Amino acid sequence: QVQLVQSGSELKKPGASVKVSCKASGYTFTTYPMNWVRQTPGQGLEWMGWINTNTRNPTYAQGFTGRFVFSLDTSVSTTYLEISSLKAEDTAVYFCARAPQLPGEFDYWGQGTLVTVSS
Amino acid sequence: QSVLTQPPSASGTPGQRVTISCSGSSSNIGSNYVYWYQQLPGTAPKVLIYRNNQRPSGVPDRFSGSKSGTSASLAISGLRSEDEADYYCVAWDDTLSGPVFGGGTKLTVL
């Protein structure tokens, strides 16, 4: 069965970096793109962008350029989200989500990774 | 502020029918599919309705979706206690070139 398993919670200081992983299983990893979605109490759910797991080409949504980087390691069927120069407002739960047919049509989600940025 | 507008809360008693609205514009709901997701506390969202009114296998037929113009609705009939959750609408936005979410509606079963 399809599973997306994310790495555990992170506590980081402002200015640091964090790398969240999302390991896929149960399907051919390079067949479908992977999306990232952020959830904060104030902004709700926001689409951060997606990465083409075949070409490795990332697409970033408005507001998620510069400090946010999507990458992947096909040898372990894993997608990564790296956030640099962390700010308090980056505190959120980050989800990976597969959208095999159409953008926004997320059929499987990771369990979410809480990233807390605090001094 | 979310691009799609939902009421922040809704409520009903067991067995009742509840409707949650989602309002957008011509660049999103007006020209693209609408999706509805259910999020139980502490879990990831789960798709309830896709492509306006389609139910994935395993989703009870108590859940239904509809769309008219730049608005969409999720209806839940025969309300049950386990339906208490947050509900989000999503649609692709042609101007923003990405999916946009509603702010979410917290459903309480009284």
Side-chain angles (χ1 to χ4, degrees):
Chain A
Q1 73 283 19
V2 174
Q3 278 193 306
L4 302 178
V5 178
Q6 297 184 224
S7 48
S9 299
E10 301 268 9
L11 173 60
K12 296 290 184 180
K13 294 190 184 302
S17 296
V18 68
K19 195 168 187 177
V20 177
S21 66
C22 168
K23 182 174 176 59
S25 62
Y27 71 100
T28 302
F29 177 67
T30 52
T31 302
Y32 304 118
M34 194 65 74
N35 294 255
W36 287 95
V37 176
R38 181 172 79 176
Q39 184 166 34
T40 60
Q43 298 294 323
L45 289 163
E46 298 173 274
W47 180 70
M48 301 174 66
W50 64 284
I51 184 166
N52 185 316
T53 54
N54 195 33
T55 66
R56 298 177 178 267
N57 184 49
T59 298
Y60 301 98
Q62 290 180 21
F64 294 99
T65 57
R67 297 188 300 115
F68 301 84
V69 176
F70 307 147
S71 61
L72 50 86
D73 184 343
T74 55
S75 68
V76 290
S77 301
T78 299
T79 313
Y80 301 95
L81 162 66
E82 186 165 17
I83 312 172
S84 58
S85 302
L86 283 163
K87 308 173 184 180
E89 50 263 42
D90 294 323
T91 295
V93 177
Y94 293 86
F95 293 99
C96 59
R98 194 182 80 161
Q101 302 288 343
L102 293 172
E105 195 168 292
F106 307 116
D107 62 349
Y108 286 94
W109 295 65
Q111 82 276 20
T113 297
L114 172 62
V115 174
T116 303
V117 184
S118 174
S119 54
Chain B
Q1 283 295 59
S2 301
V3 175
L4 305 181
T5 302
Q6 298 179 235
S9 63
S11 63
T13 56
Q16 262 191 332
R17 184 177 188 270
V18 170
T19 300
I20 297 172
S21 63
C22 176
S23 177
S25 68
S26 57
S27 66
N28 42 65
I29 293 178
S31 52
N32 296 289
Y33 289 127
V34 177
Y35 303 85
W36 288 92
Y37 293 87
Q38 176 194 59
Q39 187 177 32
L40 298 170
T43 69
K46 164 194 158 186
V47 60
L48 275 184
I49 298 291
Y50 67 101
R51 300 187 192 183
N52 301 334
N53 54 19
Q54 303 299 302
R55 273 189 316 276
S57 60
V59 173
D61 59 7
R62 301 186 297 106
F63 295 91
S64 62
S66 64
K67 182 181 114 169
S68 178
T70 59
S71 294
S73 293
L74 172 70
I76 309 171
S77 60
L79 200 60
R80 304 174 69 160
S81 58
E82 57 260 40
D83 298 333
E84 194 160 278
D86 294 326
Y87 293 84
Y88 295 90
C89 57
V90 181
W92 179 266
D93 189 287
D94 294 330
T95 301
L96 297 174
S97 296
V100 290
F101 288 81
T105 298
K106 185 174 188 63
L107 176 64
T108 301
V109 181
L110 303 169

